[in-house]
Structure formats: C-alpha cells, structure tokens
Amino acid sequence: MILLFALIGRLVQIQLVSSESFTKHHINLIQSSVNQRTQVLSIDSGRGKFYDRNGEPLGHEEVPALVLFPFLKGMDWPSKKVAQAAGISESDLLSAVNKAQKPFAYGGKTPLYLTDTQMDEINSLKIPGVFAISQSVAKKMPAEQLIGTLTKWESRKKQLYPRQNLSPEAHVGNTGLQAAFDEFLLSEGESKLVFHVDGIGGPLFGVDVKYVEPANPLYPVRVITTLDKELQAAAEDLTDKLQIHNGGLLLLNIETSEIRALVSRPAIHKKNPNIGSENNMFSQAKLGSVFKTVIAAAAIDYQLVKPGQVFDCNVTINGAIDEKRRLGTLDFEESFAQSCNRTFGDLAIQLTQINPDILENYARKLNIIGPSGWQGQVFHSEIKQLFNEEQGKVWDQNTDKKDKRLAAHTGIGQQDVQVTPLAAANMMATIARGGESRMVKAVSKVTFKNGSTVVEFPNKKLDSDSISPYTAMKLQTMLRKVVIEEKGTGRVFQGLPYEVAGKSGTAQTGKMKDGKELYNKWFAGYFPYKNPRYALVAVNLEVPEDSGGINPLFHKMVMEVYRHDQNKND
C-alpha cells in the first residue's frame, strides 16, 4: 500500500503539479511529450527583430523557401510537378527528401529562393508535407555590440522574469539593445509547421500539417533602429580593412542625435559571446588632446586669453625644452590647431585656481561626462537605450584639483581624464548645433507586426547646462582651423569633399607591449562645416606611438558618407 501511494503521488506530481517544470532542470513535460510525437519545423522564433531606419532587416532575412517533411519518402507524391514549379531537378529533390531525418528547407545553408508565382503554384498542389513559405533565416548581425547578445541561461531568465515559466529554449536579452528592449522583444510563441507522427516517425494520416503561430497576431514586434544599413556595412568593412583590432568608430546624425553607424572591435567571439561583447564606443578611455576643446570653451567664457597673447610652445607643460615638438611661439587658436600642450596646461592651471570644479563643469556642459544616451519613462518603466554606457570622468575622487602639475596634465586630457567615444561624438554634435545638448538615440520606435506603433522615442534635450551660442561659434572656428591650418593636426582632411572640423588626440595609457609604450589615438569631428549633418569619432586603442594611426579610418569614412549621400540624392 505504501508503494502504491508513493507511485500515485509521483503520478500526481508528473501529471498535475510539476507538469510544466519538472525537476531542478525545469523540464516542461507537456512540451516534451508533444515533441516526442510530432515533426516540427520552426519558421520564426517569435522574438522581436531589429530593422534599420529604412525598414531593412538587421541580422535576419525573410526567405521564400520550399519546405519538405521526411515522411514523403514513404509516399507516392507528385515530385515532378513540385520540381517543375520550383525550377529544380526532380532527382535532386527526391535525393534531398530521402536523406532527411526531420523537416527541412530545400537548399540548406543556401536556400532556394522562390517567386510569389512559384509559391502559389506549389501550395495549390496541396501535397501533405510540401509547403512554400516565408522563413526567417539568421544572418550575421551588424553593429553586434550595439544590438547585443542573447542567452538561454535559466538563472538569467529567473532574474528577469521570476513569475513567468519560460521555455528552456526561450532566449532573453543579455547585452545591448537585446537587453534594453527585452520586455518588448520577448517571444509570444514561435511560428512553426507541426505534423503528428507515430512511434517510428511515420505520418498519422488523417491529421494535417498544422501552421501554429502566436495567439496575438500583432507579434513579434519590430524594433526600428537609427542605423543606416549601408553606412554600417561600409564602416565595418573599413575598420577591418584598416586592421583596427581594439577601437572603432561612431557616426551620429547631428540634427536628430541618432546613431547612423557604430563599430566596436574586437568583434564578438562566435563560440564564447562574452569575449568581445563589451561595446568600446560606450566604454571610457584616456582621451588626450581632444579634451583641449573643454579647456578652450572655459578659457573663452572666462576671457583668460588677452588679444595678441602668445605662448611658448617650444617647452613642455613642465617647462623643459620639448625635444620632440618645437612649435615656436603660437597664439591661442594656433595652439589649438597645432595641439600645443604648454598653452592648455597653463590655461587649465589658471582655471582651477579660479574654481577647482571648472573643468568638470565645462566637461558636463559639453556632454563628455554624464550620460549621453536616451532615457525616459515608457509605460511606467524607465528605459535606457544604450546598454552599460559609462559616463566618463575628469578627476579621480581623491585628486587634488588645485595641484598645478595635476591640473596641467588634466588640461591636455591626461591624468585622470576618461571619456567614451560616444560622449566625444556628442560633444562635437553639441558644438555643431550651436551649444544645444541632446540625448543620443539608437532606436527611433517599436512597432507591432502590422506596422502600427507601440512606442516612439522623441528627440530629447539633456538636463545639463550648455555652452553659449557665442562659445560654440568660437569653438567651431577653432575646430575648423585644426584642418585648414598649414601645420594643423587635422590637415590630412583638407581635400575631402565634405569640409571637416575636429580635434585629434593621442593619450598615453601607461601600458607597455614588446618594450613599447601604448597610446590611444583619436580624431573627433563633424562635417560638413558650414551645414553640419554628421559627427564622427574614430579611435584606435592601446597601439604603439609609431603605428596604428586613426586618420585613415576617419578620412575614408567621410568619403563613404559623401558617396552615400550623393547616391541618395541621385
């Protein structure tokens, strides 16, 4: 009797109590029993998908495919008619079916693309186990660190959705936009073709193949990103061709403050997505002389530079003769164009003596510290579009801001200064807009499957104070002189079809490799100068001083943007 009651108890547990979450592995027994007696072809996982700003799919493709079930090998079916309609060899068709152990799309990794006419003709034959359908096929994801990664880890699922009993096969967002928009993207159920079979895999005749899709026809949703698929492809191709192994680029549309292209290297490792998943465009790094833009803005507002004042640029910020770069005697704007360290070290000392917090205040006004990404309330939840965006810094917590030596090194973007490429691009966009600070967007809206809008993300201003239009105008002139001056550090960009304004930066990292000191190399700018449309930052991290220049990447990307715009206008 004890044994009988124990068996009854076990049966109750299996059939009633734990049928959807059996043992510590949370096995869904109902789903497992269905899997045991069916042949299934997944058409779509049901998870929301990403598209570029023009509605082009990112990371997937809708393929009109010929789907075949393996039980056809034991049937007499009009294979000749199917082959003729699909435009393929009957022998190849029969061979593929005979080799099949489960439902499949004909052609494998290179699926057969059917026309609408071919699909209609095949489906009109009404053959059990033969279908012409549109199937979602995964492709290499562009901007992979921005879009992010998925995981099936149970611990992650329980952390995010403790009250939902998600399938062991269900994916949830782990990084990037996949994580930031996970609640929108979560699958409402996959679309699939299901056919019931007997114990040895034969068809149960009288039971048709069923098309199963989510109960809610509005799903899966579509996340419309701000990326331009063509510009993104060009950016990735250039970054890899120029062998940027640690760094990348970020292209912003200035008017809308939207990301048009983003490349982060190293790429995500195929077998271990945790390797390379960090987005270097959202991670802080030593900035170097690009930070002189902040010093220049503060010096303009506080009128530190008198008319006709010049600086001795033959010496370093410590007062020693500069053996590497003797620039002579330069005025304020020439010092900026040629990136004279002594000038901006001296100005930083003067500013910190006036107020120790001035450098931080102006860094915040120019958006290079603090958050840059879009955030706000959506359906009573706080949405932050840019996953794990770091916020940069000017000083470490315990640094003496009035120490003249430390202030001088801070003024040239060394010491404690750390900034993300995203923030540097946002600074250039702010200057180009005349001082107006805006949040950066990676997603413009989320729509239902039928195209109706779930939520739209408007352009938003940042809460921080901004520089004045006058200061922005002065900075615009100085950034342009970096390029047009005969000895400017950006003179290599003079011949481009779009006039460029910007600032170079080379920062010591304090790291060594093969006996050589490693540097971060930057160029941050915007273009066209007279009618600004794009802000662009290119960065190569931790490379030797005599190699790994970043100017070719910036130069070639401007050319790609110009060609893209010309083609669009044509």
Side-chain angles (χ1 to χ4, degrees), residues 535-546:
L536 174 63
V537 169
V539 60
N540 202 2
L541 302 172
E542 299 180 6
V543 291
E545 187 177 17
D546 58 356

Side-chain angles (χ1 to χ4, degrees), residues 228-265:
D228 185 295
K229 194 172 183 178
E230 289 184 10
L231 288 176
Q232 178 64 36
E236 295 195 18
D237 185 53
L238 285 175
T239 304
D240 293 334
K241 281 184 176 178
L242 293 169
Q243 298 182 13
I244 308 297
H245 301 301
N246 187 19
L249 65 78
L250 191 149
L251 179 71
L252 284 183
N253 177 281
I254 288 174
E255 182 182 356
T256 58
S257 200
E258 294 177 341
I259 297 174
R260 288 287 180 263
L262 183 152
V263 183
S264 175
R265 293 293 181 264

